[in-house]
Structure formats: C-alpha cells, structure tokens
Amino acid sequence: MGREAGVSADILLAAAAAIALLMVTVWVVSLVVRDASIVDIVWGAGFVVVAWVAIWRRGGPDPRSLLVAVLTTVWGLRLSGYLAWRNLGKGEDFRYQAMRRRHGDRFPLVSLATVFGLQGLLMWVVSLPVQVAAGDGLNVLDWVGAAVWLAGISFEATGDAQLARFKADPANAGKVLDAGLWRYTRHPNYFGDFLVWWGLYLVAVAGGGWWAIVGPLVMSALLIRYSGAGLLEKTIATRRPGYEEYTKRTNAFFPGPPR
C-alpha cells in the first residue's frame, strides 16, 4: 500500500532538533569569527538538512519525498553556495554590526534568540511542505509543482548572476541595474524564491498535504514585506541615487512590463 502525504510528530520533532543543532553550532562559530551574518549563508543549507532528516525519520524515500528532497537540495545548495561566494571575506553585514553596537556585551545572547533562534523557527515553519511530502505515485500536480520550482530557481539564479556581473564592473559603482530580469521586477531573485516554495508546496499537496500551505505563506510574507524586498526597499534608495526613479518604472515584486 502506498504512503500518502502526512507527517508524524516524530518527523516534526526530528526536523526541529536538526535545525536547533545546526543553528546553535553556527551561532558558536559566529562568536568565534565575530560574524553573525554567516547565518544567512546557512539558511539554504538548513532546508537541505530538513529534507533528508524527514526522509530518514519516515523510514526511507518514496517518489514524492525524494522529488521534494532533490529539488530542495538543488535550491538550498545553490543559494548557500552563492551567498558564501558573495559574502565570505567581506566582513559582517551592516545589519548585524548595528545590532552588535546596540547590544554590546549582551549581543551573543541576543543574537542567539533574535537571529539564530528566529531563523531556525522560520526555517521549521517554511519547510513544512518538505516535511509533509510523501507518496508512491506521482501525478500531474507533482509535475506542475516541479515546473513552477524550475521557473523559480531559473529566475532566482539568473537574477543573481545578472546582478553579480553588474557589480563586478567598476563603472557601475553606485548605479542601479535595470536590464535583464531587473527590467521587469526590482527583486527577481526574491520572486524566484517565491516560485520555488509554491512549487514545492504543489508537490506536497499532490499527495494530500494541503495544511502545509502555512510554509509558503510565511515565506511569501518574508520575501515581499518583512525580510526580503520590503526590508531592502527601506534603505536602498539612500545608497543608490537613481533608485527612486527606477521604482517609478519597474514593478516592485511580481514581474511586469516597465512603465
């Protein structure tokens, strides 16, 4: 008899324990190297850990859980690898530097709760589709979800590559990228992330895991308003003189023709 989508308390607890162990370990490393921003590099890789822990606690892979694990692994390792290439050796992110100055000697414990602990909790919630996905028979919705995931990671990776090439040219210092995918949305990388997680949810729900919708909903809120595009929009105009004009002709998040 085939396994259907579902998640036991054992899988939920195992995923939570794995995330907690990962985050505490990274927190300790951050204290040694005095760089809390390494948590951003670990974000994608953490979902890879969850995917394979869920399969292990389920007793082995089935077609649907394996599909989700592979898709999650490709996405997570690409994201972590890209952020490592972009950030390592550049010093601590300005956001964490501001926190360090504000909290002084209390920063280690504050960062454990508000940076590493919070990101761990969000990782557990967002990864619910990864934890719930299971089933022996793939159907059309699985492949629709995989197609949405493919569109998302293509959008995300292309946007990152275009931005990296733009920043690598000294002539572009202080300028705003408004070509390629960045012509149609101010945040193609975040939009790609959005598609990735809705695609993974479609694969999970193909086996009946509808309630895991809380995962992509939380990720969407983070990407659009709280920690992704919304947070960046609050400060980028002060660092990019032409950004205000760029916002007048380019969609904020969802792609569309330039105005």
Side-chain angles (χ1 to χ4, degrees):
M1 183 175 179
R3 284 176 285 184
E4 297 302 325
V7 62
S8 67
D10 184 50
I11 294 175
L12 293 173
L13 290 173
I19 291 170
L21 178 60
L22 174 66
M23 286 300 176
V24 169
T25 301
V26 177
W27 171 70
V28 171
V29 174
S30 79
L31 298 182
V32 174
V33 301
R34 291 188 59 81
D35 186 354
S37 53
I38 61 174
V39 70
D40 299 331
I41 297 173
V42 176
W43 172 255
F47 290 95
V48 179
V49 172
V50 170
W52 294 103
V53 165
I55 284 181
W56 167 60
R57 295 308 298 166
R58 198 180 290 278
D62 54 70
R64 183 167 291 114
S65 64
L66 183 60
L67 174 61
V68 165
V70 170
L71 298 183
T72 303
T73 299
V74 172
W75 170 81
L77 294 184
R78 189 215 72 86
L79 180 60
S80 287
Y82 170 73
L83 292 178
W85 169 79
R86 189 187 70 178
N87 296 344
L88 287 180
K90 304 292 179 59
E92 189 173 51
D93 186 275
F94 72 92
R95 296 167 297 169
Y96 302 116
Q97 289 181 14
M99 286 183 61
R100 192 180 293 278
R101 290 191 297 269
R102 185 164 62 250
H103 296 289
D105 293 340
R106 296 176 56 247
F107 177 76
L109 289 179
V110 171
S111 69
L112 176 61
T114 63
V115 177
F116 296 87
L118 179 58
Q119 287 208 27
L121 176 61
L122 291 172
M123 184 183 296
W124 183 82
V125 174
V126 171
S127 68
L128 285 174
V130 177
Q131 298 178 53
V132 77
D136 290 335
L138 299 180
N139 57 45
V140 173
L141 192 54
D142 288 294
W143 301 118
V144 171
V148 172
W149 173 92
L150 180 60
I153 197 169
S154 299
F155 222 91
E156 183 178 355
T158 301
D160 283 341
Q162 290 173 345
L163 183 60
R165 284 196 300 269
F166 181 80
K167 287 184 173 182
D169 186 347
N172 293 325
K175 294 183 180 179
V176 177
L177 173 59
D178 60 356
L181 295 180
W182 300 82
R183 172 178 168 83
Y184 305 102
T185 166
R186 302 201 293 270
H187 303 283
N189 45 356
Y190 293 137
F191 174 70
D193 225 356
F194 170 90
L195 290 182
V196 161
W197 281 96
W198 282 104
L200 290 174
Y201 172 69
L202 289 177
V203 178
V205 81
W210 62 270
W211 59 271
I213 194 172
V214 66
L217 285 176
V218 168
M219 179 61 101
S220 298
L222 292 173
L223 291 170
I224 296 172
R225 184 167 183 178
Y226 295 107
S227 65
L231 180 63
L232 187 60
E233 291 279 329
K234 292 179 181 179
T235 61
I236 194 171
T238 62
R239 294 180 282 117
R240 292 285 188 272
Y243 198 79
E244 186 174 352
E245 182 63 29
Y246 175 59
T247 65
K248 295 177 181 179
R249 63 178 185 272
T250 309
N251 283 11
F253 190 82
F254 296 98
R259 292 182 293 276

